[in-house]
Amino acid sequence: MSASKTFAIFSVLLAASSAVGAQHYTATYTPGNLPDHSEAGQYGTNNCGTGNNQESLCQTAYINSIEDFCVWAPPYSNGKNASIGETERYEVAWCMKDGYGTRLIPDGTIVGAHWVETPDYVQITGNGDFTKLGIPKGDAGGELDPHGADGNGNPIGGLVFGNSFGQMQQYHEWTSFMSQNEFCFRACKPGPKAAHLCNHIYDVMGCQWNMPGDYSNGVFDSCMGDSSEPMGIYGTSTFHQGDPSTPAPHAKPATSQCTTTASLTQINPSASTSSATITATATPAGSSAASAASSTTAHSGALGKSASWEGVAFGSLFAVIGGLAAIAVL
């Protein structure tokens, strides 16, 4: 093989590899250099200012401790068309702590919460009345993750940050479920285990199957813990959603060094609002811009939709094959 052909093949492979990586992690940000929008078609914004605003469309969440975390919930609700399945592309951050420019979780919403820090991820699980966040009564909920059907995330452009593993950093791999009365949120330490421990393909299996842990009411505690087995992986076997039989969830990992707090209340609530008034930049499917905040029209998105960047990888693979075929005739 000639030197020129060898170089051409290497160039095609390098370009394809770069394309896959670029789709997997669009960019890495810090809270100090957030863009207005991290993805095309984003409903809200990532550059959310400070303070708090109960009409904020902030799509940047933080997960630092039992007293400093956020959840995803609808940006609007009329009690009919704001289920998690219908609004998964548009969810906004609701947080316990003031200062992020997000909406605040009302005091009394969460009736049990359990924080665990492991060597590979942080996780918070629990229960509450999330109709206070606009989730309709009776909604069984759904999954939120950074990939979505098209690689842009559910919600589109949703970013997550935390400081549990040293300095404040972006979590590229995270998974969360929300329903009317139950929540769970796991953010994985960057590294080779992250994609497996924060897998997002089991989107109809719910919190307790994906994230074994404590879901009891009336307790608010923080623990150190062992890492769970990756969801869906059992030794050398991998469960696929839709298989004839569904395995039991992995056992709840051991925890230690637990401390408790009496209740959860907003941290440093202030009368100030976000430094910027945030307006929707994308209109939910089937609604007009004027009705985006209180639409009565059904929105796109449904439970059972799982997605990732694997499709991009296959597309890049075919691009590699095409490129190599073209080079073969040189």
Side-chain angles (χ1 to χ4, degrees):
M1 182 181 295
S2 68
S4 61
K5 184 179 289 188
T6 301
F7 179 77
I9 291 173
F10 176 77
S11 298
V12 169
L13 292 172
L14 182 61
S17 175
S18 299
V20 173
Q23 287 294 326
H24 191 188
Y25 301 142
T26 303
T28 296
Y29 302 104
T30 66
N33 75 337
L34 290 169
D36 288 336
H37 313 105
S38 59
E39 297 289 353
Q42 191 168 342
Y43 182 75
T45 186
N46 298 116
N47 191 4
C48 307
T50 58
N52 68 82
N53 184 336
Q54 292 305 94
E55 296 183 355
S56 169
L57 299 182
C58 182
Q59 293 179 306
T60 299
Y62 294 82
I63 178 168
N64 292 317
S65 70
I66 193 170
E67 296 176 324
D68 181 6
F69 70 93
C70 308
V71 297
W72 299 109
Y76 52 81
S77 177
N78 63 4
K80 297 179 181 178
N81 67 333
S83 71
I84 296 297
E86 292 171 306
T87 60
E88 62 182 6
R89 308 244 72 187
Y90 318 116
E91 312 296 14
V92 297
W94 295 69
C95 303
M96 289 300 304
K97 184 178 180 180
D98 184 21
Y100 297 132
T102 67
R103 305 183 188 200
L104 291 181
I105 298 171
D107 286 346
T109 297
I110 297 176
V111 298
H114 311 276
W115 171 267
V116 178
E117 181 178 327
T118 80
D120 301 300
Y121 59 80
V122 292
Q123 173 178 297
I124 188 161
T125 58
N127 301 301
D129 178 8
F130 298 113
T131 63
K132 295 180 179 180
L133 308 188
I135 298 176
K137 185 176 180 180
D139 183 17
E143 185 189 34
L144 295 315
D145 66 77
H147 301 290
D150 54 8
N152 293 327
N154 286 333
I156 297 173
L159 300 179
V160 175
F161 293 91
N163 59 17
S164 296
F165 299 103
Q167 64 183 5
M168 182 70 73
Q169 63 183 318
Q170 182 180 351
Y171 290 115
H172 287 290
E173 296 293 348
W174 53 270
T175 179
S176 176
F177 286 79
M178 287 294 296
S179 73
Q180 168 205 333
N181 58 3
E182 185 178 70
F183 78 102
C184 55
F185 201 150
R186 178 186 289 184
C188 285
K189 180 181 179 180
K193 297 181 181 180
H196 291 296
L197 289 171
C198 280
N199 210 336
H200 59 280
I201 63 173
Y202 301 109
D203 56 350
V204 300
M205 303 303 296
C207 272
Q208 298 192 36
W209 192 93
N210 278 276
M211 292 175 242
D214 193 342
Y215 289 85
S216 60
N217 289 339
V219 179
F220 306 90
D221 57 10
S222 301
C223 303
M224 302 300 292
D226 296 339
S227 296
S228 173
E229 294 295 320
M231 56 276 277
I233 298 177
Y234 298 83
T236 58
S237 299
T238 299
F239 166 69
H240 298 92
Q241 207 164 252
D243 283 352
S245 61
T246 300
H250 290 302
K252 171 190 169 185
T255 56
S256 62
Q257 303 178 51
C258 296
T259 60
T260 60
T261 185
S263 62
L264 292 187
T265 57
Q266 296 170 358
I267 298 179
N268 300 324
S270 68
S272 65
T273 60
S274 176
S275 62
T277 300
I278 302 167
T279 56
T281 58
T283 302
S287 68
S288 66
S291 62
S294 59
S295 171
T296 57
T297 305
H299 299 283
S300 65
L303 296 179
K305 247 177 144 182
S306 63
S308 69
W309 56 276
E310 287 89 345
V312 176
F314 281 114
S316 297
L317 177 60
F318 286 121
V320 171
I321 294 171
L324 293 177
I327 290 168
V329 300
L330 293 177

